[in-house]
Amino acid sequence: MTIRRTLLAVACAAIAAVSVASAQDDATEKAIEKYRQMLKEDPWSNPGLLDADRGEALWTTPRGPKNVSLEQCDLGKGPGHVDGAFAELPRYFADADRVMDLETRILWCMEKLQGFDRADLVKKPYPGGGQPVKELGAMATYVANKSSGMKFAAKLDQPKEKEVVALGEALFFRRSAPFDFACATCHNASGLRIRLQGLPQLSSPEEARKVVGEWPAYRVSTTQVMTMQHRLYDCYWQMRMPQLELGSDVSVALISYLVSQARGGEIAAPGLKR
Amino acid sequence: MRATAVALLVLAASATPLLAQQSPAADPARADAAIKSAFPTAPADWQPRLTPDETMRQCSAYRNAPPTAIAEEIQRRERATIVYPPDGKVLGDWKKGEAIAQSGYGLRFTDYPPRSANGGNCYACHQITKQEVSYGTLGPSLLGYGKNRKFSEADTKAAYDKIYNSHAALPCSTMPRFGSNKILTIEQIKDLVALLMSPESPANK
């Protein structure tokens, strides 16, 4: 979208007259970095915190056909424990017999504890342009924020967890659809861009540690919080694939792979993105 | 940047030698099964998108660094898919080519029914002209492409081949097979060749 491009173009407006390609690349990178710093300088300027607050209210309010809150939702550290829970996800949950990331677990709790219909929840789970993040996403923002400042510490060492991480890695390199794209097409080398947007090398733990902890993130260009599941859905959209289902084995596996790559990296959620 | 996101032109290549042999490889069948169930709303005519062809399979398995024998097999197979214009003339209109290079439209699930022709989105990954400063770097810079090749006929045909099917030149290229996968028409590919190879094109000024 032009808005997003324009935003970055603004950051680069200062570098108009350039003759040598490499000099231009350097100047462009510097301008983009300055823009990012400006966004980061005042952490309270992040509108995503409003969604974290909304998420907290939703979490503690009795809702759904069973009219209960999610305070008994077990995010892995026992029912009622939200602080630090995100830092240990994804993990295997015996009650569901499945490895789950944060959003998939919240989805499961909304279905099992509150009695919501899963099919309804996954039907249109992400907001349209300019709309705020939906309820599940707001709660994910709240829970992730309660691990902000901590480091990714998911063990992912159980056989089923290892299997899911390996699946995520295979999916990361798996090409598909008419453009032949895989995640690796854009995220398997360092220092590259799409147009002016820098691309992290997510197959590199060093780079993964820097960026994975920023999700969910508030995106300036769309004025809304985007969750990690939404991020992947949008990647597959761009890859010319159909609509990736929230909580699918593919999204859980890719998130597990990314978090395993980012182990030890700091969580700074909600992050702030272009 | 969404509209401009990913696609490319010519010569893309990130055949980084990777750790294909070192990591505990997941069973590709497992990945296929996971993919099949992860896109439940995909209409019937989208099902083929979920299944990689042999070239995609091989490139995924070797993480874009196939051994020589496989690379040659891919090259042979993909070269055989290239179709040329009936009159053999591969140089179109660079002005139309520039518009195709700018557009990232097409084939996404929000692009139906089609509202315009598909784009090549070349600038997402390549520098092409001095005028466009918003270009990506996933592929090599194509600035001065034709001039650097003295506008030769052989290189003009080679440019057509690379856009039509990049794997014919570089097996496991990361660039889409624009012709073979019917992303762009023959006419559009000719226009892109002109953007690269015409002396009048801003790419060569």
Side-chain angles (χ1 to χ4, degrees), chain A residues 20 33 72 85 94 114 174 195 212-213:
Chain A
V20 185
E33 190 46 46
Q72 289 305 302
Q114 297 183 311
R174 184 185 191 274
R195 290 278 184 163
V212 176

Side-chain angles (χ1 to χ4, degrees), chain A residues 1-5 8 12 15-16 18-19 21-22 24-25 28 163-164 166-167 169-171 173-182 184-189 191-197 199 201 203 219 222 226 230 233-234 236-245 248-251 274, chain B residues 1-8 16 18-19 23-24 26 30-32 34-35 37-42 46 49-52 56 59-60 63-64 101-111 119 121 123-125 127 130 132-138 167 172-178 181 183:
Chain A
M1 291 171 201
T2 334
I3 309 169
R4 294 194 205 172
R5 241 177 86 195
L8 285 178
C12 302
I15 56 142
V18 215
S19 52
S22 61
Q24 179 170 331
D25 285 347
T28 304
E163 200 182 304
V164 168
L167 173 62
E169 183 173 19
L171 290 166
F173 288 96
R174 184 185 191 274
R175 292 186 181 222
S176 50
F179 277 42
D180 297 341
F181 287 162
T185 304
C186 293
H187 294 290
N188 194 31
L192 301 180
R193 307 189 315 245
I194 291 180
R195 290 278 184 163
L196 294 177
Q197 174 61 41
L199 299 161
Q201 183 185 0
S203 53
R219 305 188 79 194
T222 56
M226 183 183 236
H230 187 189
Y233 167 95
D234 217 39
Y236 274 112
W237 168 82
Q238 191 61 263
M239 289 161 72
R240 274 67 183 178
M241 284 285 272
Q243 299 183 50
L244 178 66
E245 187 171 73
S248 67
D249 284 350
V250 167
S251 49
R274 69 180 167 86
Chain B
M1 192 82 120
R2 185 193 264 236
T4 62
V6 187
L8 14 157
T16 327
L18 269 163
L19 11 103
S23 46
R30 178 87 213 285
D32 291 346
I35 288 282
S37 66
F39 300 89
T41 61
W46 275 57
R49 298 196 187 199
L50 305 182
T51 311
M56 284 193 258
C59 293
S60 301
R63 298 194 178 177
N64 298 336
Q102 290 284 0
S103 167
Y105 182 83
L107 303 177
R108 298 164 299 199
F109 57 72
T110 48
D111 292 338
N121 214 3
Y123 283 107
C125 300
Q127 180 183 32
K130 284 179 193 161
E132 180 52 89
V133 296
S134 174
Y135 61 85
T137 55
L138 282 159
H167 296 249
C172 295
S173 159
T174 49
M175 187 167 103
R177 294 169 283 181
F178 287 103
N181 280 356
I183 300 164

Side-chain angles (χ1 to χ4, degrees), chain A:
Chain A
M1 291 171 201
T2 334
I3 309 169
R4 294 194 205 172
R5 241 177 86 195
T6 312
L7 263 171
L8 285 178
V10 164
C12 302
I15 56 142
V18 215
S19 52
V20 185
S22 61
Q24 179 170 331
D25 285 347
D26 290 349
T28 304
E29 280 305 320
K30 274 184 193 154
I32 294 172
E33 190 46 46
K34 190 181 173 197
Y35 166 74
R36 290 195 191 108
Q37 278 308 320
M38 284 162 66
L39 291 180
K40 275 183 186 171
E41 266 162 26
D42 178 7
W44 295 105
S45 69
N46 187 338
L49 290 169
L50 296 171
D51 294 294
D53 284 351
R54 182 164 62 96
E56 180 172 17
L58 286 163
W59 187 264
T60 53
T61 303
R63 301 170 68 237
K66 296 184 183 172
N67 199 37
V68 294
S69 78
L70 286 181
E71 287 160 301
Q72 289 305 302
C73 176
D74 181 358
L75 294 169
K77 296 168 76 75
H81 286 80
V82 172
D83 285 0
F86 177 62
E88 295 175 25
L89 291 170
R91 70 197 299 161
Y92 173 76
F93 288 90
D95 55 8
D97 188 25
R98 217 187 145 201
V99 175
M100 293 172 155
D101 68 295
L102 173 59
E103 289 164 82
T104 304
R105 185 60 181 176
I106 295 176
L107 176 69
W108 191 86
C109 285
M110 289 174 80
E111 182 191 356
K112 303 293 177 189
L113 300 186
Q114 297 183 311
F116 283 109
D117 184 355
R118 184 182 178 280
D120 286 345
L121 294 173
V122 302
K123 200 171 180 183
K124 209 174 176 301
Y126 310 119
Q131 298 299 307
V133 67
K134 294 204 171 182
E135 293 174 343
L136 194 158
M139 288 190 281
T141 308
Y142 155 63
V143 174
N145 183 241
K146 286 291 183 184
S147 289
S148 212
M150 299 178 193
K151 290 184 162 47
F152 277 118
K155 291 197 185 77
L156 297 168
D157 58 355
Q158 300 304 306
K160 286 196 175 170
E161 294 171 342
K162 285 185 181 168
E163 200 182 304
V164 168
V165 171
L167 173 62
E169 183 173 19
L171 290 166
F172 185 85
F173 288 96
R174 184 185 191 274
R175 292 186 181 222
S176 50
F179 277 42
D180 297 341
F181 287 162
C183 308
T185 304
C186 293
H187 294 290
N188 194 31
S190 191
L192 301 180
R193 307 189 315 245
I194 291 180
R195 290 278 184 163
L196 294 177
Q197 174 61 41
L199 299 161
Q201 183 185 0
L202 298 170
S203 53
S204 145
E206 194 192 346
E207 293 197 26
R209 279 194 289 266
K210 284 185 199 155
V211 297
V212 176
E214 295 181 334
W215 298 91
Y218 182 84
R219 305 188 79 194
V220 177
S221 52
T222 56
T223 64
Q224 67 196 181
V225 164
M226 183 183 236
T227 64
M228 186 56 110
Q229 289 267 348
H230 187 189
R231 176 62 274 176
L232 296 179
Y233 167 95
D234 217 39
C235 287
Y236 274 112
W237 168 82
Q238 191 61 263
M239 289 161 72
R240 274 67 183 178
M241 284 285 272
Q243 299 183 50
L244 178 66
E245 187 171 73
L246 169 67
S248 67
D249 284 350
V250 167
S251 49
V252 170
L254 281 170
I255 291 170
S256 299
Y257 170 65
L258 293 179
V259 170
S260 78
Q261 290 292 100
R263 185 173 292 124
E266 192 176 315
I267 295 163
L272 200 52
K273 298 280 185 186
R274 69 180 167 86

